[in-house]
Each structure stands twice: as structure tokens, then as C-alpha cells.
Amino acid sequence: MGSSVSCSWLAALLWLLCLGAEVECNCTDSNIEMAGGEYTLTKNLERGSLLVYNCPDGYYPYPTLTRVCQPSGTWRPAPKKFRPQRCKRVECPDPNVMENGNVSPPQERYFVDNETSYECYSGYLMRGSTKRICLPNGKWSGSTPICSRDSGDVCADPGVPPGASRTGNMFGIDDKVTYTCNGNLFLVGTSERKCQENGQWTGTEPACYYKHTYDTPREVSEAFGSAIKDSLTTMESLNDTQEGRKIRISKSGTLNIYIAVDISESIEEKQFQQARDAIITLIKKIASFTVSPNYEIIFFSSEIYEVVNILDFIDAKVELKKVIKDLESFEIGDRNTGTDLNLAFTKFEGRMAFIKEQAGPERFKEHRHVLIMFTDGAYNMGGSPKPTVERIKNMVYMNHTTEKQTGSRDEFLDIYVFAIGADIFDDDLHPLTVGTGGDHYFRMKDIKELRKTFDEIIDETEVVGLCGLHLDYETTEDKVSRRKRYPWLAFIINKGQKSKKCIGSLVSADFVLTAAHCFTFGDLPENIVIEIEDETGAIEKKVKNYTLHPNYNINSKVDQGVTEFYDYDVALIQLADPIKFSAKARPICIPCTQETSDALKLVGESTCKQQEQLLLKNQRERLNFLTRKSPLVAEKDVHAKLGESRNICIKKALKAPGINATDPTVAVTDNFLCTGGHNGGEHRDHIACTGDSGGAVFKNYELRTVQIGVVSWGTHQLCGSTDGLVESKAESRDFHINLFRMIPFLKSVLGDENQDYAPLKFLKS
Ligand SMILES: *[C@@H]1O[C@H](CO)[C@@H](O)[C@H](O)[C@H]1NC(C)=O
Ligand SMILES: *[C@@H]1O[C@H](CO)[C@@H](O)[C@H](O)[C@H]1NC(C)=O
Ligand SMILES: *[C@@H]1O[C@H](CO)[C@@H](O)[C@H](O)[C@H]1NC(C)=O
Ligand SMILES: *[C@@H]1O[C@H](CO)[C@@H](O)[C@H](O)[C@H]1NC(C)=O
Ligand SMILES: *[C@@H]1O[C@H](CO)[C@@H](O)[C@H](O)[C@H]1NC(C)=O
Ligand SMILES: *[C@@H]1O[C@H](CO)[C@@H](O)[C@H](O)[C@H]1NC(C)=O
């Protein structure tokens, strides 16, 4: 105590004498200890050190959460002997605000583990929880109890959350209710809600938080998870004028994600590292799922450290794997004391303005923006970011927020704030959140769990078996990475009478789809080996049986001048043991199944035809198939000629050896897709090689892959001994079985409900 006094006296004296000469003064540890808890120091007792108090679960530090050691060698706030630092029991907001009912027991204040029960007056109906417990994070368990009478209003009584007051008692269309929090509580969520035509209130129920109230990782995972998933897969209702029914399609727009992490001194280094790791996890998760957003990632204190420039992303100058690497290697060096939160928002505003400039106002309208800020809000430079946030809103909303005809644009901008740090400036931070739908403000006591939280946002087990899901980037150019790009890939080795190598595709846990011509009549299942590398590490899979399309008959048109007739060239191989799905092995989507409709985001009762129209809509439709090439396979680019172009394409079949007919449709029935030749300008399609037979002809739809065809036969052998990426000649064409024409066969095997394997659900029509 004595040294502290003399040191600060000395500092004050020197300051007076020498006009601010630097004096190194340490703080002292007297009176900083806390009964019932402990504290940590970021830099011992040196100046600039941050003292953070910690209490056991169910308690919070009082009267202060943190202290900073100032250059004068004194703590701010200073410890006071008459108000000793201690751990106080966590309190929950007052539940007695409920209308038309009783809360028991009635208490002035409610603490952790206190139980309450709720009852409505007679004539009123209860919604919500009838019993609630005060939880260690300062929130009540369950949901707000509401007692209401059926008044025939459009919207239901929205109730009054604990600790709040509500104004507005009319619940008809366009009626508004507003909430405030009582005492020293602050409001998180929507303070004004409006009753909509559909009977729903806008926004989400607000909650009243104390300084010691926080969100659990599970709450964050659920709330942020559902919100971000919404951004990633936002669907739009469109009227399908031809069919007269409503379909939902995915938005074509671009998603831009801007992430800022506060690395100023008030954030402990450990928290920074946890935030960084969480961001890496989040980016990887997003990458493994649906759209591919553009990223801007910055760290900030009084200046900005830009890890990823979104403009490089948009210009495709930077790859995701490099971003992840840069993030992983980013270290905070010497940190300065200033925090300029506005600078971070200004940076984002600048980037957005540039994107708008580049894209033009029309295309900018298709851009959605998600800002994610990690900070404690303790800015001491640059002023409030609020005006910047308003300008960002204006830029994205394009002055259309309220205009009915143009539609609301508020779904195009979300600002999430993850409030981290020991002492959070809620009053400054909460107003910076923007967006409709779920919560946008997360108050986290501990971000240790944040990485796991993000990991759980998109739960692998939920998606692992989804057809066609694949990684669309490779972290390294190796077998495993490539496998995750084509997790449905199967190699078929037939060691039967004629040794043959084909490619196939996993279409369910039990079946591999390939070409019928990979088999010779009488081949035994035990002579066939399927290679699929799954999580077990084993590659070779045994075959239980195989089934060729019943109409497949290679010799059936010899008398019509077709030596080898490949119509119905499809076969299904049943594996002896089902594949255990993982990121390395999961099925491809095939036409006319419910799962494929889901992958294509067709909602409601969809049809085969809708799928076909979505996947094969152009005269020249780009498709792909695989060929064996180190490190595993390579992708061939082709264009299916459809509509008018198809007739010209299939004519080339007459040039094929073994064909002696004048009408190409004798050999190439309607069941074939035609690819190859020149594709317009300089580019040519690739041509199939012998070993590509049976492989999937596929199309990617966002991160899902749908198989359209099966590689069957071609007019020319251009590959020679070394198979690989060979370009087509002007005359050469390939023909692939169109799976949309094979549905009865696929359904008879894969959709059979009377077997010991799980059937696929096919559409009714
Ligand atoms: C402050 O403490 C550090 C060790 O934590 C010590 O090296 C330094 O000399 C001290 N400064 C003063 C002015 O006491
Ligand atoms: C509520 O919690 C406080 C603090 O733990 C305790 O003293 C009190 O007895 C509890 N009241 C009830 C009704 O459980
Ligand atoms: C779709 O059609 C319905 C009825 O025909 C109409 O009320 C609705 O406004 C249309 N929606 C769109 C997005 O065009
Ligand atoms: C929005 O309104 C402001 C002022 O009213 C105007 O200057 C600006 O050009 C408008 N922006 C758009 C995109 O219409
Ligand atoms: C294999 O499948 C064929 C029909 O494709 C069937 O006739 C035969 O009995 C099956 N063999 C076994 C062992 O299940
Ligand atoms: C081709 O067709 C013509 C007329 O049908 C016939 O004379 C000729 O023998 C056929 N050649 C072959 C190789 O089948």
C-alpha cells in the first residue's frame, strides 16, 4: 500500500515537473483479492495489465468484473476496503411481470436454483412453462408463461418476458407492442414487434439481461446456427408459371461474410486464439455444406490487420485453403492500447462500397452481407460505430426498407455481435446488431466452447448420409482430398470371363450403379470386386449380387445393322455389406428420388419432370464424368446436346465401327445423352476412354452432385493405352444412358420395400 502511494505520488510529481515524463510504476496486489473466487493478471502487476475476476458457476464477481493497471500504478476501478470484492449469487430477472396469473412463491428477488410455478386466473389459458428454475447463467429455464383469453385476434398474446414491461395490448394486423427492461437490466432481441397478416409477430421475443447474464454455448449454437444456416441456404418462393404451382429455389445471389476480431488489450490473448480457432472451424463448416461465400477477415485494435481481402476472393485470386493457413499462422504481436471499433465497420463499409461499384447497383442487389464481430465493445478511439452501421444499412437496403412494392431488403444484411471479454459494453454493442429472424447478439462468458459451438452448427451426423454432398475444395492434392470431392466414386474390377475395369457410383449404402456391359453373361458375384475407400480404411468390398437392366441385350439389333446395341446399358451391384457413410464415402443423388428433390431445393410435392427441367435445361448442358488419373481420378468436361442440337449429335453414331444403319435412332434411342465434338469455339469436350465405362455422368448443384447418366459407348477410341483427359475430335461422340429414362428399373431394385436393405424413396411421378 505504502509503495503504491509513493509511486503514484512520484508519478504525479514528475508529471507536474517534467510535463509527462514516463514513470514506470507497478500496481500493488493489496485489496484486489476476492472472497469466494480468484483473479488472473495478463501482465502481472505491470502497467497495462488486465485483472479479470472469476467466480464459480452460479456466482458473479461484484462490484467489478475487471481492473486495469494504469500507468500511474493504480488500479481502475480502484479496490475499496469498505466494498470488498466478492462473488455474488447470480440473480434471474423478476418473473412477476406476468399478466392475468400468479407466480409462486412471490419473492422480491430470485436466485440460482430458485424454483417458480405459474398459474392463470380462471378463464385464461396457459402457454409456455408452468414451472421454471433460475439457471446459473442468469436466465429462467423453459419459456415465458403467458396467460391469455382467446380474443379472436390475428396474433397471439406475445406475453411479457421476466424483467420486462410491455406497452401495447392490441394484437390485430399491424398492431405493435414495445418492450423495455426494468431497473438495471438491458434488453437483448427485438424491442418492437408488429403483428403480421400470417399471425406471427415480427422478430423474436426479447429478453432482459443483467451484466452477469450470458448465453450458453448450446444457446449460441442453436440460435446462431439456425440463423447462419438460413443465410447459407436461403430459399425464395417463386411461382412456376408453366406448372402453375409454387416452387422454392435457392437464391442465385452472392454471399459476402465479413469477420472482425478485436485484439486490443482488453481482450485476453487466450480469448483471441479461441476466437481465431472458432472462425477457422466456422469457415470449414460452411465450406463443407452449401454455398461458397466470399470472406473479408480482419483483426483490429487501433489499427486493422487484414488477413483476407474480400476483393481477392471475388476476383478468385485467393483460395480457401490459403485463407485458413493465413488465419492459423496469424499471431498477435505487440498490441496497442487503443480500440477503434468504428474503424472495423468503416473498413467493411469501404469494401462493400467497392463491391457495389464493381458489380453495379443491379447486381449488387443480389449480394447478401453477413458481418460477424467479436469484441467487448470497449472502444476508446474513433467514436461510436453507429453512424457507420446506418450508412451500411442504407447502402444495402438501397432506400427500400419500407417500400411495399419493392419488397423488404432487410434479409440482405445481418450484423452479428459476439460479445466477448471479461467486461462487456452492452449498451454500445447491442444497438449495432442488424437483421431479421433469430438472435444477433451473443453474450459469451467463455469462448473456450465457441469452436465446438461452431462445429455443432452444422452437425456432421445430420448431413453425413445426404446424397451428393461433397467438398468443393481440396486442402491438398492427394487421394483423400479427391475422395471427399467424389465420395460416391467406386471402381469395379470384374475378374470374370473377360477381365474388365469399370467405374461406378455409390447410389445407396448397399448399391453401386454401373454399366451392364461391364458384365459378361454368367459372371459370378464373387469374381467382382468394388473399390471404395471409406472410413474403415478398407478399400475392397465384396459383392452380394448384381442385376442388369432386363431389357439390356447387346445382340438384339444385329439384323438392323447394329453389331453391338447398348440400350439399357445399366446394372446395379449389391454390396455384401452396406457402406458406412462418411465424408469419404457417401452416395450420389440419382433422378426422381425425394432426396434429390431436397438437394435441388424443390419443396412440396415435386416431380421427376421438375428435376429434369432444372438439371437439363440448356441446349448444351455442361456435365462431367471421371477418368482414372493420379492421385485418384480427374474430371472430364462435356456438354450434353439437347433439344435441336441432339439430332445433329447422334447422327455421328453412323460413323461408328459396327454400325451399318441409315437411321441413327436405331442405335441411339431416346434413352441416350450425346456428348463430344467441338463445343462451339476453341474448346472441345473430353472424350470417354474404355475404363471410364459405367461411371457417373453428373452435374453439381451447389454442393450436391446429381447423377444424370452412365457412361456407355462412343464412336471413336482416341485414348490409346494411357487413359486420361483426352479431347474429342470433331467427329467423335460419346453416348451415355440417361437415367431419367431408367426410373422403372432403378425403382424396382433401389425402391423395393420388401428387401433387407433400406429402400430409396422415389417420387410418385
Ligand atoms: C515492475 O515489476 C516488474 C516485474 O513484474 C519489474 O521487473 C519492474 O522492475 C517493476 N517496476 C517497478 C517500477 O517497480
Ligand atoms: C432462493 O435462493 C436463495 C439463495 O440461494 C435461498 O436463500 C432461498 O432459500 C431460495 N428460495 C427458495 C424459495 O428456494
Ligand atoms: C404467386 O401466385 C400467387 C397466386 O397466384 C400470388 O398470390 C402470389 O403473389 C405470387 N407470388 C409471387 C412471388 O409471384
Ligand atoms: C437513397 O437516398 C439518398 C437520399 O435520399 C440518395 O442520395 C441515394 O441516391 C439513394 N440511393 C439509392 C440507391 O436509391
Ligand atoms: C442374383 O440376382 C438374380 C437376378 O438378378 C437372381 O436371379 C439370383 O437368384 C440372385 N442370386 C442370389 C444369390 O441372390
Ligand atoms: C450393311 O447393310 C447392307 C444393306 O443392308 C448389307 O448389304 C451389308 O452386308 C451390311 N454390311 C454389314 C457389315 O453388316
Side-chain angles (χ1 to χ4, degrees), residues 8-236:
S8 53
W9 268 105
L10 181 68
L13 206 65
L14 280 180
W15 196 86
L16 280 173
L17 292 174
C18 324
L19 294 169
E22 295 261 317
V23 179
E24 289 285 330
C25 266
N26 288 347
C27 287
T28 71
D29 59 4
S30 60
N31 290 331
I32 59 172
E33 69 287 355
M34 178 173 64
E38 47 178 38
Y39 61 85
T40 57
L41 293 162
T42 56
K43 286 191 204 161
N44 301 317
L45 293 171
E46 290 164 51
R47 62 182 196 156
S49 183
L50 179 72
L51 183 156
V52 177
Y53 286 113
N54 289 299
C55 287
D57 237 20
Y59 293 84
Y60 67 98
Y62 181 86
T64 190
L65 300 164
T66 59
R67 298 186 199 279
V68 178
C69 180
Q70 293 176 288
S72 59
T74 55
W75 291 107
R76 192 195 56 200
K80 294 196 173 76
K81 250 190 171 157
F82 57 91
R83 261 177 104 196
Q85 182 72 24
R86 62 192 170 104
C87 285
K88 252 182 127 175
R89 234 178 143 65
V90 162
E91 205 177 321
C92 280
D94 185 6
N96 291 291
V97 295
M98 182 175 75
E99 296 177 329
N100 310 314
N102 278 326
V103 181
S104 63
Q107 279 170 221
E108 192 117 327
R109 304 167 76 182
Y110 295 84
F111 297 96
V112 172
D113 292 339
N114 280 179
E115 292 182 24
T116 48
S117 57
Y118 305 83
E119 245 178 26
C120 292
Y121 300 151
S122 74
Y124 288 87
L125 192 75
M126 165 72 79
R127 282 181 292 129
S129 305
T130 54
K131 281 196 190 320
R132 303 184 88 178
I133 297 179
C134 178
L135 301 174
N137 65 343
K139 294 185 184 186
W140 289 101
S141 65
S143 61
T144 306
I146 303 167
C147 297
S148 64
R149 254 203 273 254
D150 182 15
S151 54
D153 282 325
V154 173
C155 287
D157 186 334
V160 185
S165 305
R166 187 187 77 203
T167 60
N169 287 305
M170 314 270 281
F171 311 139
I173 293 176
D174 287 347
D175 283 337
K176 286 177 187 165
V177 291
T178 55
Y179 294 90
T180 48
C181 288
N182 306 328
N184 55 350
L185 292 156
F186 61 91
L187 186 138
V188 171
T190 320
S191 59
E192 184 180 274
R193 304 182 76 184
K194 194 165 99 179
C195 173
Q196 306 174 97
E197 257 173 80
N198 64 4
Q200 301 294 313
W201 291 97
T202 55
T204 50
E205 184 182 273
C208 294
Y209 280 39
Y210 286 103
K211 265 295 207 195
H212 63 254
T213 311
Y214 61 90
D215 302 315
T216 61
R218 194 190 170 84
E219 285 169 330
V220 176
S221 174
E222 283 176 8
F224 181 66
S226 72
I228 194 79
K229 268 192 220 171
D230 215 43
S231 287
L232 294 172
T233 59
T234 304
M235 288 184 269
E236 202 168 35

Side-chain angles (χ1 to χ4, degrees), residues 490-765:
F491 293 121
I492 294 155
I493 295 146
N494 185 347
K495 299 173 184 159
Q497 303 153 63
K498 288 183 193 163
S499 177
K500 272 184 181 168
K501 279 187 175 181
C502 280
I503 293 181
S505 52
L506 193 65
V507 293
S508 75
D510 299 274
F511 282 94
V512 170
L513 177 63
T514 188
H517 82 258
C518 298
F519 301 90
T520 310
F521 182 76
D523 280 343
L524 297 172
E526 50 264 42
N527 289 332
I528 298 159
V529 173
I530 309 293
E531 289 182 357
I532 296 174
E533 191 183 339
D534 61 7
E535 278 306 291
T536 67
I539 297 179
E540 296 197 351
K541 310 289 171 205
K542 289 206 172 86
V543 169
K544 186 171 186 183
N545 204 351
Y546 67 91
T547 314
L548 309 187
H549 195 294
N551 298 353
Y552 172 73
N553 183 350
I554 197 165
N555 300 320
S556 59
K557 285 196 174 170
V558 174
D559 58 351
Q560 294 174 59
V562 180
T563 323
E564 291 175 359
F565 182 51
Y566 286 106
D567 206 357
Y568 304 104
D569 188 10
V570 285
L572 283 164
I573 304 168
Q574 188 181 2
L575 300 167
D577 301 301
I579 297 285
K580 192 166 176 293
F581 292 149
S582 66
K584 280 163 82 184
R586 63 178 144 219
I588 195 168
C589 300
I590 56 168
C592 302
T593 62
Q594 182 56 49
E595 238 203 297
T596 301
S597 279
D598 296 343
L600 299 175
K601 293 165 183 165
L602 295 169
V603 300
E605 192 138 333
S606 55
T607 62
C608 248
K609 201 175 166 93
Q610 279 178 322
Q611 291 188 359
E612 193 171 349
Q613 279 167 351
L614 208 52
L615 293 166
L616 300 174
K617 55 181 179 296
N618 301 310
Q619 294 260 323
R620 291 173 67 254
E621 191 66 58
R622 186 174 156 170
L623 301 173
N624 298 96
F625 57 89
L626 301 180
T627 192
R628 283 179 170 82
K629 191 169 190 291
S630 175
L632 186 73
V633 281
E635 200 170 296
K636 288 185 175 178
D637 288 330
V638 294
H639 291 79
K641 283 69 175 177
L642 303 168
E644 302 286 304
S645 324
R646 187 177 182 276
N647 291 338
I648 305 161
C649 190
I650 66 168
K651 264 195 194 129
K652 306 284 181 197
L654 300 177
K655 302 257 159 69
I659 291 191
N660 186 14
T662 49
D663 179 2
T665 64
V666 176
V668 187
T669 65
D670 280 349
N671 295 333
F672 287 97
L673 294 164
C674 183
T675 68
H678 285 285
N679 81 32
E682 292 194 347
H683 295 283
R684 294 152 185 241
D685 276 9
H686 285 115
I687 204 78
C689 303
T690 315
D692 305 345
S693 279
V697 180
F698 61 90
K699 189 167 179 69
N700 287 335
Y701 190 88
E702 291 177 359
L703 271 198
R704 309 289 289 270
T705 309
V706 183
Q707 180 167 3
I708 313 282
V710 174
V711 176
S712 180
W713 64 286
T715 57
H716 292 68
Q717 293 270 19
L718 300 177
C719 300
S721 55
T722 52
D723 285 353
L725 296 174
V726 179
E727 287 192 344
S728 177
K729 295 229 154 50
E731 296 294 298
S732 53
R733 295 291 183 277
D734 287 321
F735 305 101
H736 318 283
I737 294 292
N738 182 347
L739 286 186
F740 279 102
R741 308 275 169 276
M742 299 293 131
I743 301 307
F745 168 67
L746 296 175
K747 192 173 173 179
S748 73
V749 179
L750 302 172
D752 189 343
E753 287 171 9
N754 303 315
Q755 298 294 335
D756 54 356
Y757 50 81
L760 293 183
K761 197 170 165 231
F762 281 81
L763 300 176
K764 286 200 197 95
S765 60

